[in-house]
Amino acid sequence: MLMQTSTIFSSKPAWVKAVHRTSSTDSNSMAATVPAAKWAQKTVTLPPLRRGCHLVTSQILKEIRPDLSEFKCGLAHLFLQHTSASLTINENYDSDVRDDTETFLNKIVPEGRSAPWKHTLEGPDDMPAHIKSSMFGCALTIPITDGRLNMGTWQGIWLCEHRDAPTARRVVVTLNGI
């Protein structure tokens, strides 16, 4: 039996009506009303942190919780507005993981006056910080389920500060869903 499915959406101010039509030998139709997609965005400023990997899940949640609680299903996008720090998701329980990650990064990315980098105008730690930032990246996407970030039990959001001088960091958090 061959079946064709099409979905038709028509906009309403607060709701989107989804009509699913199925064509086959017997004619069935089903209609469902689903909430319209919504958006929220906030820039979270994290305080200056020493060099290393820092668990910042609670600081991020404290700032976005009122908006986050309004979403049943969706995605949270976190974007770090800096090129010498990074975001990642990793172990949220044992701080040794954060320390070991910093040790690893420092071993694989040479630093100091003897390092081979041309870009040294902002100090000997700047170019290595750019490389480390590129390794982990500046953005995360996390599912939202029932008003919460749907991460694993042992997962947390890390800010990795790659410069020697502590600097406040801005994270733009964009929430999208229903």
Side-chain angles (χ1 to χ4, degrees):
M1 173 190 323
L2 178 65
M3 297 181 72
Q4 293 179 328
T5 303
S6 64
T7 303
I8 302 169
F9 293 98
S10 63
S11 290
K12 301 278 183 188
W15 295 90
V16 176
K17 175 123 175 153
V19 179
H20 302 279
R21 293 186 182 140
T22 305
S23 300
S24 66
T25 55
D26 57 343
S27 178
N28 293 326
S29 68
M30 180 173 39
T33 302
V34 295
K38 54 188 165 191
W39 294 84
Q41 187 174 76
K42 182 171 189 170
T43 298
V44 177
T45 300
L46 297 171
L49 297 166
R50 65 175 171 71
R51 182 176 173 151
C53 299
H54 306 275
L55 187 61
V56 296
T57 311
S58 61
Q59 293 100 310
I60 298 287
L61 286 174
K62 179 182 173 190
E63 296 293 325
I64 67 167
R65 190 167 277 120
D67 290 321
L68 183 62
S69 67
E70 298 295 317
F71 289 84
K72 176 82 175 142
C73 178
L75 294 173
H77 183 265
L78 287 71
F79 178 78
L80 179 66
Q81 295 181 312
H82 302 276
T83 61
S84 57
S86 57
L87 291 173
T88 190
I89 293 176
N90 211 311
E91 169 76 48
N92 69 2
Y93 179 73
D94 185 355
S95 63
D96 286 348
V97 177
R98 294 190 296 277
D99 294 341
D100 290 345
T101 301
E102 176 67 11
T103 299
F104 170 76
L105 289 171
N106 291 333
K107 285 189 183 249
I108 63 168
V109 181
E111 191 171 318
R113 301 276 176 218
S114 63
W117 316 125
K118 293 179 182 178
H119 175 71
T120 58
L121 293 175
E122 298 176 63
D125 67 329
D126 189 49
M127 188 60 218
H130 294 309
I131 294 169
K132 293 172 186 178
S133 175
S134 291
M135 291 172 67
F136 281 160
C138 63
L140 301 173
T141 303
I142 304 169
I144 300 169
T145 305
D146 295 327
R148 298 177 340 154
L149 296 181
N150 194 348
M151 294 189 291
T153 301
W154 305 112
Q155 290 182 318
I157 301 167
W158 291 10
L159 170 77
C160 299
E161 176 57 66
H162 304 303
R163 295 297 307 266
D164 290 332
T167 305
R169 300 297 190 171
R170 291 179 317 279
V171 179
V172 178
V173 181
T174 305
L175 306 176
N176 175 240
I178 55 173

